[in-house]
Amino acid sequence: MPDGAFRGPAAFAVGDRVRVRAGDPDHHTRVPRYVRGQEGEIVLMYDAWPLPDDRARGIDPPRVETVYVVRFAARDLWGTGRHTVAVDLWESYLEPC
């Protein structure tokens, strides 16, 4: 549950193009493998939420970060498809492109 505290300005805004950080951490992560290293567009921002990676690792308190809905073209993820896929991603999972 978020504590409702705003942690500062968000790094990204709706409409920004972002790249999901590539990599395969040796701990739990909420970054789906199929979006790692892919570029997408931020279409919605949520409030700040505890980072699930930290919670799964017992880090107390966990980092609290803005969560974004990032939209990807299915053809970019799987090489085919005319639809889009939206994924909720925490700020530290993203970098500008």
Side-chain angles (χ1 to χ4, degrees):
M1 296 286 287
D3 62 7
F6 184 63
R7 302 295 181 213
F12 305 105
V14 171
D16 284 355
R17 299 284 303 170
V18 292
R19 177 177 293 110
V20 180
R21 295 183 189 280
D24 189 18
D26 60 356
H27 56 78
H28 170 81
T29 185
R30 293 286 303 267
V31 181
R33 191 174 300 270
Y34 60 85
V35 299
R36 294 178 193 170
Q38 298 294 323
E39 292 183 18
E41 178 185 10
I42 293 177
V43 295
L44 184 67
M45 295 170 58
Y46 293 122
D47 200 354
W49 286 79
L51 186 66
D53 305 46
D54 286 356
R55 286 195 155 185
R57 297 165 63 197
I59 296 172
D60 186 29
R63 290 172 283 172
V64 177
E65 300 178 353
T66 302
V67 178
Y68 302 90
V69 177
V70 182
R71 180 175 54 207
F72 302 90
R75 70 181 172 281
D76 292 340
L77 301 178
W78 298 295
T80 187
R82 289 185 280 179
H83 61 286
T84 59
V85 177
V87 180
D88 295 345
L89 296 166
W90 274 254
E91 192 165 282
S92 62
Y93 299 160
L94 305 172
E95 59 189 13
C97 44

